[in-house]
Amino acid sequence: LNQYQNAGVTLTSAIQNHASGANTNANIGLLSSVLVNHVHATKLDDAIADFQKLFPDPAKAKDTFSPIINNLGETMLDEKTGSWDRLKVRDFISLSRIQAGIVKNDNYVQKSLFNAANMSVATKNYDQALAIYDYILANPNDFSKTPTALFLKGFTYDEHLKNYDEAKKYYNEFLEKYPEDGYAESVKASLKNLGKSAEEIIESFGK
């Protein structure tokens, strides 16, 4: 076992044997990060499966995870310095992803997952944001806001990565699949202005 696998085994044992311990919530957050970012870095489903062994009941999983995620969300910004606590952000994102893999068709869980994607963007981890959108798109029966994920995937390529070919591809896919969605007009405008500077967009208003 490598160091991360060893850490995963140790944390799992601590959670199992000391469920009511003072460090359990922190251990759950840390375990989620170890599994998502290291042990199963390329296979989120495997990380989810490992957590399901600890929390096989989705309702119990939500009851356990939600307070931890809420606390991380409320405390990960250091109000004195105005900077993000890197470790809390990491645990917030990974545990939100784990929770979404265990608890299906739940609006709170879905909101947490989108917040995790937002935090990924805020910390410039765009690949992680795209991975979250891809997970939602790959499991459309589990999420009600699949169109939003597709829009945000295109927007990430457009606004943040400046990869206009990919942005165009996903914007067009959005319009093909969801022409009546509330984001449709925004997508049309984004396609029209794709790759243009702010000055070019302003100039186009007078034409």
Side-chain angles (χ1 to χ4, degrees), residues 9-181:
V9 170
T10 300
L11 289 165
T12 298
S13 177
I15 293 167
Q16 288 174 323
N17 298 326
H18 307 283
S20 59
N23 295 323
T24 295
N25 285 359
N27 287 341
I28 288 173
L30 181 55
L31 177 60
S32 72
S33 295
V34 168
L35 294 179
V36 170
N37 298 311
H38 300 289
V39 178
H40 302 301
T42 61
K43 295 183 179 180
L44 179 65
D45 286 342
D46 287 349
I48 292 168
D50 280 359
F51 245 87
Q52 282 179 311
K53 295 173 185 175
L54 280 172
F55 301 95
D57 179 6
K60 175 64 174 176
K62 182 183 176 184
D63 287 344
T64 301
F65 300 160
S66 294
I68 302 172
I69 292 171
N70 286 342
N71 179 260
L72 289 168
E74 291 169 358
T75 61
M76 61 188 174
L77 179 64
D78 187 324
E79 294 183 358
K80 291 183 179 179
T81 65
S83 60
W84 298 108
D85 183 315
R86 182 178 59 84
L87 298 181
K88 288 186 177 181
V89 169
R90 178 201 64 187
D91 291 355
F92 174 85
I93 293 170
S94 60
L95 192 54
S96 293
R97 297 179 75 184
I98 291 286
Q99 178 180 239
I102 296 175
V103 184
K104 311 292 187 180
N105 297 298
D106 184 285
N107 287 334
Y108 167 83
V109 171
Q110 178 175 242
K111 182 179 179 180
S112 293
L113 188 59
F114 274 101
N115 285 341
N118 291 340
M119 279 307 308
S120 298
V121 170
T123 53
K124 302 186 186 304
N125 191 338
Y126 303 120
D127 286 344
Q128 184 168 244
L130 290 171
I132 292 172
Y133 300 141
D134 283 340
Y135 182 80
I136 295 170
L137 293 169
N139 297 278
N141 294 329
D142 298 336
F143 302 99
S144 63
K145 292 188 176 181
T146 303
T148 302
L150 184 55
F151 165 69
L152 291 173
K153 183 175 182 178
F155 184 81
T156 300
Y157 277 112
D158 178 4
E159 184 68 17
H160 301 295
L161 297 174
K162 308 301 180 186
N163 186 332
Y164 301 121
D165 289 338
E166 287 295 290
K168 183 178 181 179
K169 179 173 72 172
Y170 292 113
Y171 282 155
N172 282 325
E173 181 181 343
F174 180 95
L175 292 175
E176 290 173 7
K177 291 183 175 179
Y178 312 109
E180 304 302 321
D181 188 84

